[in-house]
Amino acid sequence: MSAIAAISTPNAPGGIAVIRISGDTAFEVADAVFRSVNGKKACEMSGYTCAYGFAYDGDERIDDCILTVFRAPNSYTGENVAEISCHGGLYVTKRILRTVLENGAETASAGEFTKRAFINGKIDLTQAEAVMDIISAKGEKELKMAEILREGAAFKKSQSTKEKLIKVLGDLAAWADYPEDDIPEVEPEALKNSLYEIRSELAELIKGYDYGRILRDGIDTVIIGRPNVGKSTLFNCLSGCERSIVTDIAGTTRDVIEESVKIGDLMLRLSDTAGIRETDDIIEGIGVDIAYKRLDEAELIIAVFDGSCPLEKDDLALLERLSGKRAIVVINKSDVSRKIDFDRINELNIQPVYISAKENSGIDEIHTAIENLFEASEINFESPLAANERQKRCIDLSLQNIDEAISAIDSGIMLDAVTVLLDEAVQYILELTGEKATEAVVDEVFSRFCVGK
Ligand code: GDP
Protein backbone atom coordinates (compact mmCIF):
# COMPACT_ATOMS: atom_id res chain seq x y z
CA MET A 1 0.00 0.00 0.00
CA SER A 2 1.11 3.58 -0.63
CA ALA A 3 2.88 5.41 2.20
CA ILE A 4 0.83 7.42 4.67
CA ALA A 5 2.11 9.72 7.41
CA ALA A 6 0.83 11.58 10.46
CA ILE A 7 1.97 13.02 13.76
CA SER A 8 1.28 10.24 16.29
CA THR A 9 1.82 12.32 19.42
CA PRO A 10 -0.66 14.92 20.79
CA ASN A 11 -1.13 18.23 19.05
CA ALA A 12 0.59 20.11 21.89
CA PRO A 13 4.13 21.12 22.82
CA GLY A 14 6.07 18.33 24.58
CA GLY A 15 9.49 16.77 25.11
CA ILE A 16 9.39 14.77 21.91
CA ALA A 17 6.98 14.19 19.04
CA VAL A 18 6.74 11.26 16.64
CA ILE A 19 5.96 11.38 12.94
CA ARG A 20 4.92 7.94 11.74
CA ILE A 21 5.24 6.81 8.12
CA SER A 22 3.77 3.47 6.98
CA GLY A 23 3.58 1.74 3.62
CA ASP A 24 5.61 0.06 0.88
CA THR A 25 7.68 3.19 0.28
CA ALA A 26 7.96 4.31 3.92
CA PHE A 27 11.77 3.92 3.97
CA GLU A 28 12.26 5.81 0.69
CA VAL A 29 10.16 8.67 2.08
CA ALA A 30 12.15 8.63 5.34
CA ASP A 31 15.44 8.63 3.42
CA ALA A 32 14.36 11.74 1.51
CA VAL A 33 13.89 13.62 4.80
CA PHE A 34 16.27 12.06 7.33
CA ARG A 35 20.08 11.83 7.15
CA SER A 36 21.76 9.72 9.81
CA VAL A 37 25.14 10.71 11.22
CA ASN A 38 26.54 7.25 10.45
CA GLY A 39 25.43 7.56 6.83
CA LYS A 40 23.15 4.52 6.97
CA LYS A 41 19.86 4.82 5.14
CA ALA A 42 16.49 3.60 6.43
CA CYS A 43 16.36 1.23 3.44
CA GLU A 44 19.52 -0.46 4.74
CA MET A 45 18.59 -0.59 8.42
CA SER A 46 17.28 -3.75 10.10
CA GLY A 47 13.90 -3.83 11.81
CA TYR A 48 13.69 -2.57 15.40
CA THR A 49 16.82 -0.41 15.03
CA CYS A 50 17.33 3.33 15.44
CA ALA A 51 19.65 5.92 13.97
CA TYR A 52 20.54 9.39 15.16
CA GLY A 53 20.60 12.15 12.60
CA PHE A 54 18.85 15.21 11.22
CA ALA A 55 15.63 15.98 9.41
CA TYR A 56 16.19 18.10 6.31
CA ASP A 57 13.89 20.06 4.07
CA GLY A 58 16.00 19.98 0.91
CA ASP A 59 19.33 21.34 2.11
CA GLU A 60 17.88 23.11 5.10
CA ARG A 61 18.37 21.30 8.41
CA ILE A 62 15.14 21.32 10.49
CA ASP A 63 15.91 19.42 13.69
CA ASP A 64 17.98 16.60 15.18
CA CYS A 65 15.98 13.42 15.35
CA ILE A 66 15.97 9.67 15.91
CA LEU A 67 14.71 7.40 13.17
CA THR A 68 13.25 4.04 14.17
CA VAL A 69 12.73 1.35 11.56
CA PHE A 70 10.18 -1.47 11.69
CA ARG A 71 10.20 -3.97 8.86
CA ALA A 72 7.04 -5.64 7.49
CA PRO A 73 5.36 -7.69 8.84
CA ASN A 74 6.85 -6.92 12.26
CA SER A 75 5.33 -3.50 12.76
CA TYR A 76 2.12 -2.02 14.13
CA THR A 77 0.51 -1.86 10.69
CA GLY A 78 2.19 -4.97 9.30
CA GLU A 79 3.89 -2.75 6.69
CA ASN A 80 7.27 -1.05 6.57
CA VAL A 81 7.13 1.70 9.19
CA ALA A 82 9.56 4.54 9.84
CA GLU A 83 9.12 6.77 12.87
CA ILE A 84 10.90 10.10 13.17
CA SER A 85 11.19 11.30 16.78
CA CYS A 86 11.94 15.01 16.91
CA HIS A 87 11.69 17.81 19.47
CA GLY A 88 8.07 18.16 20.51
CA GLY A 89 7.43 21.69 19.31
CA LEU A 90 4.28 22.31 17.32
CA TYR A 91 6.06 24.14 14.50
CA VAL A 92 9.03 21.77 14.17
CA THR A 93 6.77 18.71 14.15
CA LYS A 94 4.42 20.13 11.54
CA ARG A 95 7.35 21.27 9.43
CA ILE A 96 8.84 17.74 9.38
CA LEU A 97 5.44 16.22 8.58
CA ARG A 98 5.00 18.70 5.72
CA THR A 99 8.38 17.70 4.33
CA VAL A 100 7.48 14.01 4.64
CA LEU A 101 4.25 14.66 2.73
CA GLU A 102 6.13 16.60 0.05
CA ASN A 103 8.41 13.59 -0.38
CA GLY A 104 5.82 11.04 -1.34
CA ALA A 105 3.62 10.18 1.65
CA GLU A 106 -0.09 10.92 1.85
CA THR A 107 -1.80 12.30 4.93
CA ALA A 108 -3.06 9.45 7.13
CA SER A 109 -6.71 9.81 8.08
CA ALA A 110 -7.99 9.19 11.63
CA GLY A 111 -7.27 5.60 12.64
CA GLU A 112 -5.70 4.73 9.29
CA PHE A 113 -2.61 3.05 10.79
CA THR A 114 -4.80 0.77 12.90
CA LYS A 115 -7.14 0.20 9.94
CA ARG A 116 -4.14 -0.99 7.94
CA ALA A 117 -3.17 -3.31 10.81
CA PHE A 118 -6.71 -4.73 10.57
CA ILE A 119 -6.67 -5.00 6.77
CA ASN A 120 -3.23 -6.66 6.90
CA GLY A 121 -4.57 -9.25 9.36
CA LYS A 122 -2.43 -8.13 12.31
CA ILE A 123 -5.49 -7.60 14.50
CA ASP A 124 -9.23 -8.22 14.40
CA LEU A 125 -11.92 -5.56 14.94
CA THR A 126 -12.21 -6.19 18.71
CA GLN A 127 -8.46 -5.61 19.07
CA ALA A 128 -8.64 -2.46 16.95
CA GLU A 129 -11.43 -1.12 19.14
CA ALA A 130 -9.40 -1.96 22.24
CA VAL A 131 -6.59 0.32 21.01
CA MET A 132 -8.86 3.35 21.36
CA ASP A 133 -10.15 2.06 24.68
CA ILE A 134 -6.57 1.89 26.00
CA ILE A 135 -5.98 5.45 24.89
CA SER A 136 -9.17 6.71 26.56
CA ALA A 137 -8.98 4.53 29.72
CA LYS A 138 -9.42 6.64 32.83
CA GLY A 139 -8.75 4.00 35.48
CA GLU A 140 -7.09 0.70 36.38
CA LYS A 141 -10.00 -1.65 35.65
CA GLU A 142 -10.91 0.10 32.42
CA LEU A 143 -7.32 -0.23 31.25
CA LYS A 144 -7.18 -3.90 32.24
CA MET A 145 -10.38 -4.67 30.33
CA ALA A 146 -9.01 -2.93 27.24
CA GLU A 147 -5.57 -4.61 27.53
CA ILE A 148 -7.14 -8.06 27.59
CA LEU A 149 -9.09 -7.34 24.41
CA ARG A 150 -6.04 -5.74 22.80
CA GLU A 151 -4.18 -9.01 23.36
CA GLY A 152 -6.93 -10.75 21.40
CA ALA A 153 -8.80 -12.56 24.17
CA ALA A 154 -12.27 -11.80 22.75
CA PHE A 155 -11.06 -12.79 19.29
CA LYS A 156 -9.68 -16.13 20.51
CA LYS A 157 -12.79 -16.89 22.53
CA SER A 158 -15.13 -16.08 19.64
CA GLN A 159 -12.95 -18.18 17.30
CA SER A 160 -13.33 -21.21 19.51
CA THR A 161 -17.10 -20.66 19.71
CA LYS A 162 -17.27 -20.22 15.95
CA GLU A 163 -15.34 -23.44 15.34
CA LYS A 164 -17.70 -25.36 17.61
CA LEU A 165 -20.70 -23.96 15.76
CA ILE A 166 -19.12 -24.86 12.42
CA LYS A 167 -18.54 -28.41 13.68
CA VAL A 168 -22.24 -28.71 14.60
CA LEU A 169 -23.17 -27.32 11.19
CA GLY A 170 -20.83 -29.85 9.56
CA ASP A 171 -22.49 -32.76 11.42
CA LEU A 172 -25.93 -31.51 10.43
CA ALA A 173 -24.92 -31.13 6.79
CA ALA A 174 -23.31 -34.58 6.63
CA TRP A 175 -26.38 -36.21 8.08
CA ALA A 176 -28.81 -34.20 5.90
CA ASP A 177 -26.82 -35.00 2.73
CA TYR A 178 -26.23 -38.70 3.35
CA PRO A 179 -28.89 -39.91 5.83
CA GLU A 180 -28.81 -43.44 4.46
CA ASP A 181 -25.01 -43.78 4.83
CA ASP A 182 -23.09 -44.78 7.92
CA ILE A 183 -23.17 -41.30 9.40
CA PRO A 184 -24.65 -41.40 12.94
CA GLU A 185 -28.01 -39.70 13.27
CA VAL A 186 -27.89 -36.26 14.87
CA GLU A 187 -29.60 -36.83 18.22
CA PRO A 188 -31.69 -33.79 19.25
CA GLU A 189 -30.55 -34.06 22.89
CA ALA A 190 -26.85 -34.22 22.00
CA LEU A 191 -27.32 -31.37 19.57
CA LYS A 192 -29.03 -29.27 22.21
CA ASN A 193 -26.29 -29.99 24.74
CA SER A 194 -23.62 -28.82 22.31
CA LEU A 195 -25.60 -25.68 21.68
CA TYR A 196 -26.07 -24.99 25.41
CA GLU A 197 -22.31 -25.27 25.86
CA ILE A 198 -21.61 -22.93 22.96
CA ARG A 199 -24.27 -20.56 24.25
CA SER A 200 -22.76 -20.27 27.71
CA GLU A 201 -19.28 -19.63 26.26
CA LEU A 202 -20.62 -16.78 24.16
CA ALA A 203 -22.78 -15.38 26.96
CA GLU A 204 -19.61 -15.04 29.11
CA LEU A 205 -18.51 -12.27 26.76
CA ILE A 206 -21.45 -10.03 27.65
CA LYS A 207 -21.62 -10.85 31.33
CA GLY A 208 -20.78 -7.68 33.20
CA TYR A 209 -21.19 -5.59 30.04
CA ASP A 210 -23.11 -2.92 31.95
CA TYR A 211 -20.37 -2.63 34.55
CA GLY A 212 -17.78 -2.22 31.78
CA ARG A 213 -19.92 0.44 30.16
CA ILE A 214 -20.24 2.24 33.50
CA LEU A 215 -16.45 2.12 33.95
CA ARG A 216 -15.95 3.63 30.52
CA ASP A 217 -18.77 6.13 30.27
CA GLY A 218 -19.34 6.97 33.94
CA ILE A 219 -22.56 6.77 35.91
CA ASP A 220 -25.29 9.24 35.05
CA THR A 221 -26.00 10.55 38.56
CA VAL A 222 -28.48 13.10 39.82
CA ILE A 223 -28.58 14.88 43.17
CA ILE A 224 -32.17 15.58 44.07
CA GLY A 225 -34.14 16.88 47.03
CA ARG A 226 -36.34 19.70 48.23
CA PRO A 227 -34.89 23.27 48.25
CA ASN A 228 -32.41 24.10 51.00
CA VAL A 229 -31.66 20.52 52.10
CA GLY A 230 -28.02 21.06 51.05
CA LYS A 231 -27.85 19.60 47.51
CA SER A 232 -25.54 22.27 46.16
CA THR A 233 -23.29 22.06 49.22
CA LEU A 234 -23.08 18.28 48.77
CA PHE A 235 -22.48 18.66 45.03
CA ASN A 236 -19.56 20.93 45.82
CA CYS A 237 -18.20 18.48 48.43
CA LEU A 238 -18.33 15.63 45.92
CA SER A 239 -16.90 17.59 43.02
CA GLY A 240 -14.38 19.35 45.20
CA CYS A 241 -15.14 22.82 43.89
CA GLU A 242 -17.61 25.67 44.29
CA ARG A 243 -19.59 25.20 41.09
CA SER A 244 -23.16 25.15 42.43
CA ILE A 245 -24.62 28.30 43.91
CA VAL A 246 -25.06 27.78 47.65
CA THR A 247 -27.53 30.15 49.30
CA ASP A 248 -30.25 29.86 51.89
CA ILE A 249 -32.78 31.35 49.47
CA ALA A 250 -34.98 28.43 48.40
CA GLY A 251 -34.95 27.72 44.66
CA THR A 252 -31.56 29.16 43.67
CA THR A 253 -30.34 26.20 41.58
CA ARG A 254 -32.72 26.54 38.68
CA ASP A 255 -31.17 24.51 35.95
CA VAL A 256 -28.92 21.47 35.93
CA ILE A 257 -25.22 21.85 36.77
CA GLU A 258 -22.94 18.96 35.68
CA GLU A 259 -19.51 17.75 36.78
CA SER A 260 -17.47 14.55 36.47
CA VAL A 261 -16.37 13.09 39.80
CA LYS A 262 -14.05 10.12 40.30
CA ILE A 263 -14.92 7.70 43.11
CA GLY A 264 -12.46 4.80 43.26
CA ASP A 265 -12.69 3.14 39.85
CA LEU A 266 -16.05 4.70 39.16
CA MET A 267 -16.73 8.01 37.50
CA LEU A 268 -19.94 9.87 38.31
CA ARG A 269 -21.40 12.22 35.76
CA LEU A 270 -22.95 14.25 38.50
CA SER A 271 -25.74 16.76 38.05
CA ASP A 272 -27.25 19.05 40.63
CA THR A 273 -30.88 19.97 40.02
CA ALA A 274 -33.39 22.57 41.09
CA GLY A 275 -35.00 21.82 44.44
CA ILE A 276 -38.21 19.89 44.06
CA ARG A 277 -41.29 21.42 45.62
CA GLU A 278 -44.77 22.42 44.57
CA THR A 279 -44.43 25.93 43.19
CA ASP A 280 -46.44 28.61 41.33
CA ASP A 281 -43.27 30.20 39.99
CA ILE A 282 -43.20 29.26 36.29
CA ILE A 283 -39.39 29.33 35.93
CA GLU A 284 -38.85 27.35 39.13
CA GLY A 285 -41.58 24.93 38.01
CA ILE A 286 -39.64 24.21 34.80
CA GLY A 287 -36.56 23.43 36.94
CA VAL A 288 -38.63 21.05 39.08
CA ASP A 289 -39.95 19.26 35.95
CA ILE A 290 -36.38 18.89 34.68
CA ALA A 291 -35.31 17.51 38.07
CA TYR A 292 -38.05 14.84 37.99
CA LYS A 293 -37.21 13.98 34.39
CA ARG A 294 -33.54 13.56 35.36
CA LEU A 295 -34.62 11.35 38.27
CA ASP A 296 -36.41 9.04 35.83
CA GLU A 297 -33.44 8.86 33.44
CA ALA A 298 -30.50 8.71 35.85
CA GLU A 299 -28.60 5.51 36.64
CA LEU A 300 -27.94 6.66 40.20
CA ILE A 301 -30.00 8.99 42.39
CA ILE A 302 -28.53 10.74 45.40
CA ALA A 303 -31.66 11.84 47.27
CA VAL A 304 -30.92 14.44 49.91
CA PHE A 305 -33.07 15.16 52.98
CA ASP A 306 -32.64 17.72 55.75
CA GLY A 307 -32.06 15.87 59.03
CA SER A 308 -32.65 19.01 61.07
CA CYS A 309 -36.39 19.14 60.41
CA PRO A 310 -39.29 16.69 60.02
CA LEU A 311 -39.98 15.28 56.57
CA GLU A 312 -42.25 17.47 54.46
CA LYS A 313 -44.83 16.59 51.81
CA ASP A 314 -42.27 17.12 49.01
CA ASP A 315 -39.80 14.80 50.80
CA LEU A 316 -42.42 12.07 51.01
CA ALA A 317 -43.28 12.52 47.34
CA LEU A 318 -39.59 12.08 46.50
CA LEU A 319 -39.23 9.00 48.72
CA GLU A 320 -42.08 7.37 46.83
CA ARG A 321 -40.42 8.05 43.52
CA LEU A 322 -37.26 6.25 44.66
CA SER A 323 -38.79 2.81 44.83
CA GLY A 324 -37.24 0.38 42.38
CA LYS A 325 -34.45 2.83 41.54
CA ARG A 326 -30.72 2.65 42.28
CA ALA A 327 -30.68 5.32 44.97
CA ILE A 328 -28.72 6.54 47.95
CA VAL A 329 -30.66 8.30 50.70
CA VAL A 330 -28.55 11.02 52.28
CA ILE A 331 -29.65 12.68 55.51
CA ASN A 332 -27.81 15.98 55.65
CA LYS A 333 -27.06 18.50 58.40
CA SER A 334 -25.92 15.96 61.00
CA ASP A 335 -24.00 18.81 62.67
CA VAL A 336 -27.28 20.15 64.08
CA SER A 337 -29.81 18.31 66.24
CA ARG A 338 -31.70 15.62 64.39
CA LYS A 339 -35.46 16.16 63.96
CA ILE A 340 -36.15 13.92 60.98
CA ASP A 341 -38.71 11.17 61.71
CA PHE A 342 -36.80 7.91 62.02
CA ASP A 343 -39.85 5.69 61.51
CA ARG A 344 -40.46 6.91 58.00
CA ILE A 345 -36.79 6.60 57.13
CA ASN A 346 -36.54 3.13 58.65
CA GLU A 347 -39.46 2.00 56.49
CA LEU A 348 -37.18 2.45 53.51
CA ASN A 349 -35.31 -0.58 52.37
CA ILE A 350 -32.32 1.67 51.78
CA GLN A 351 -29.79 2.24 54.56
CA PRO A 352 -29.47 6.04 54.82
CA VAL A 353 -26.12 7.80 54.99
CA TYR A 354 -25.85 10.59 57.58
CA ILE A 355 -23.63 13.49 56.55
CA SER A 356 -22.87 17.11 57.15
CA ALA A 357 -22.16 18.65 53.76
CA LYS A 358 -21.32 21.91 55.47
CA GLU A 359 -18.59 20.27 57.54
CA ASN A 360 -17.61 17.89 54.76
CA SER A 361 -18.22 14.84 57.00
CA GLY A 362 -19.79 11.54 55.92
CA ILE A 363 -18.67 11.99 52.29
CA ASP A 364 -16.52 8.82 52.48
CA GLU A 365 -19.64 6.89 53.54
CA ILE A 366 -21.40 8.14 50.40
CA HIS A 367 -18.43 6.89 48.34
CA THR A 368 -18.67 3.47 50.02
CA ALA A 369 -22.44 3.31 49.48
CA ILE A 370 -21.97 4.08 45.77
CA GLU A 371 -19.22 1.49 45.36
CA ASN A 372 -21.40 -1.10 47.09
CA LEU A 373 -24.34 -0.31 44.83
CA PHE A 374 -22.21 -0.86 41.75
CA GLU A 375 -20.21 -3.72 43.25
CA ALA A 376 -19.01 -5.92 40.44
CA SER A 377 -17.58 -8.81 42.43
CA GLU A 378 -18.95 -11.38 40.00
CA ILE A 379 -17.05 -9.84 37.11
CA ASN A 380 -13.75 -11.39 36.22
CA PHE A 381 -11.56 -8.73 34.70
CA GLU A 382 -9.06 -11.36 33.62
CA SER A 383 -11.50 -12.69 31.00
CA PRO A 384 -12.65 -10.75 27.94
CA LEU A 385 -15.84 -8.69 28.02
CA ALA A 386 -17.71 -7.02 25.16
CA ALA A 387 -16.35 -3.49 25.04
CA ASN A 388 -19.04 -1.56 23.21
CA GLU A 389 -22.57 -1.59 21.78
CA ARG A 390 -21.38 -2.97 18.44
CA GLN A 391 -19.72 -5.99 20.04
CA LYS A 392 -22.67 -6.56 22.39
CA ARG A 393 -25.14 -6.39 19.51
CA CYS A 394 -23.21 -9.01 17.50
CA ILE A 395 -23.05 -11.36 20.51
CA ASP A 396 -26.72 -10.78 21.40
CA LEU A 397 -27.82 -11.56 17.85
CA SER A 398 -25.64 -14.65 17.69
CA LEU A 399 -27.09 -15.85 21.01
CA GLN A 400 -30.61 -15.10 19.80
CA ASN A 401 -30.10 -17.36 16.79
CA ILE A 402 -28.68 -20.16 18.95
CA ASP A 403 -31.70 -19.81 21.30
CA GLU A 404 -34.07 -20.00 18.36
CA ALA A 405 -32.23 -23.07 17.10
CA ILE A 406 -32.67 -24.74 20.51
CA SER A 407 -36.41 -23.90 20.48
CA ALA A 408 -36.66 -25.20 16.93
CA ILE A 409 -35.12 -28.53 17.99
CA ASP A 410 -37.56 -28.68 20.93
CA SER A 411 -40.54 -28.18 18.70
CA GLY A 412 -39.29 -30.86 16.28
CA ILE A 413 -38.76 -28.45 13.40
CA MET A 414 -36.79 -29.70 10.39
CA LEU A 415 -33.01 -29.65 10.83
CA ASP A 416 -32.82 -27.42 7.76
CA ALA A 417 -34.28 -24.57 9.79
CA VAL A 418 -31.80 -25.24 12.61
CA THR A 419 -28.96 -25.08 10.08
CA VAL A 420 -30.14 -21.69 8.81
CA LEU A 421 -30.29 -20.29 12.36
CA LEU A 422 -26.86 -21.61 13.34
CA ASP A 423 -25.38 -20.30 10.12
CA GLU A 424 -26.77 -16.88 11.04
CA ALA A 425 -25.19 -17.21 14.53
CA VAL A 426 -21.80 -17.79 12.85
CA GLN A 427 -22.30 -14.73 10.62
CA TYR A 428 -22.69 -12.48 13.69
CA ILE A 429 -19.45 -13.84 15.17
CA LEU A 430 -17.72 -13.04 11.87
CA GLU A 431 -19.14 -9.52 12.11
CA LEU A 432 -17.89 -9.22 15.69
CA THR A 433 -14.30 -9.97 14.72
CA GLY A 434 -14.54 -8.15 11.40
CA GLU A 435 -13.76 -11.31 9.39
CA LYS A 436 -16.97 -10.52 7.52
CA ALA A 437 -18.02 -6.98 8.29
CA THR A 438 -19.41 -4.48 5.81
CA GLU A 439 -17.33 -1.49 4.83
CA ALA A 440 -19.82 0.71 6.68
CA VAL A 441 -19.24 -1.20 9.93
CA VAL A 442 -15.45 -1.01 9.52
CA ASP A 443 -15.60 2.70 8.68
CA GLU A 444 -17.80 3.32 11.70
CA VAL A 445 -15.29 1.57 14.00
CA PHE A 446 -12.34 3.61 12.72
CA SER A 447 -14.26 6.90 12.71
CA ARG A 448 -13.82 6.89 16.52
CA PHE A 449 -10.04 6.99 16.20
CA CYS A 450 -7.67 9.89 16.47
CA VAL A 451 -5.25 10.93 13.72
CA GLY A 452 -1.84 9.27 14.07
CA LYS A 453 -3.15 6.02 15.60
P1 GDP B 1 -29.94 23.28 48.13
O1 GDP B 1 -31.00 24.29 47.89
O2 GDP B 1 -30.51 21.96 48.47
O3 GDP B 1 -28.95 23.21 47.01
O4 GDP B 1 -29.16 23.73 49.44
P2 GDP B 1 -27.81 24.51 49.62
O5 GDP B 1 -26.65 23.64 49.41
O6 GDP B 1 -27.88 25.79 48.82
O7 GDP B 1 -27.85 24.80 51.18
C1 GDP B 1 -28.95 25.51 51.77
C2 GDP B 1 -28.51 26.03 53.11
O8 GDP B 1 -28.25 24.94 53.99
C3 GDP B 1 -27.24 26.86 53.06
O9 GDP B 1 -27.36 27.94 53.97
C4 GDP B 1 -26.17 25.89 53.50
O10 GDP B 1 -25.07 26.54 54.12
C5 GDP B 1 -26.93 25.07 54.52
N1 GDP B 1 -26.36 23.74 54.68
C6 GDP B 1 -26.00 22.89 53.70
N2 GDP B 1 -25.49 21.76 54.22
C7 GDP B 1 -25.50 21.92 55.57
C8 GDP B 1 -25.11 21.11 56.66
O11 GDP B 1 -24.57 20.01 56.53
N3 GDP B 1 -25.32 21.60 57.90
C9 GDP B 1 -25.88 22.81 58.12
N4 GDP B 1 -26.04 23.20 59.36
N5 GDP B 1 -26.26 23.60 57.11
C10 GDP B 1 -26.08 23.17 55.86
Side-chain angles (χ1 to χ4, degrees), residues 130-150:
V131 170
M132 271 321 280
D133 292 342
I134 288 174
I135 293 173
S136 59
K138 293 171 290 299
E140 180 96 27
K141 285 185 185 156
E142 209 182 328
L143 178 61
K144 181 157 241 163
M145 282 167 67
E147 284 287 359
I148 287 167
L149 292 196
R150 172 69 188 86

Side-chain angles (χ1 to χ4, degrees), residues 227-233 246-248 332-333 335 356-358:
N228 263 334
V229 293
K231 297 180 297 300
S232 303
T233 314
V246 180
T247 69
D248 42 17
N332 190 28
K333 308 197 184 179
D335 53 295
S356 166
K358 195 176 179 180

Side-chain angles (χ1 to χ4, degrees), residues 384-401:
L385 296 172
N388 53 43
E389 271 304 320
R390 185 195 75 81
Q391 295 179 10
K392 177 159 186 294
R393 181 183 153 274
C394 291
I395 297 165
D396 274 339
L397 289 169
S398 189
L399 282 172
Q400 206 173 303
N401 279 287

Side-chain angles (χ1 to χ4, degrees), residues 231-252:
K231 297 180 297 300
S232 303
T233 314
L234 172 61
F235 180 91
N236 291 336
C237 285
L238 290 169
S239 65
C241 66
E242 292 262 332
R243 278 282 307 276
S244 291
I245 315 151
V246 180
T247 69
D248 42 17
I249 308 160
T252 40

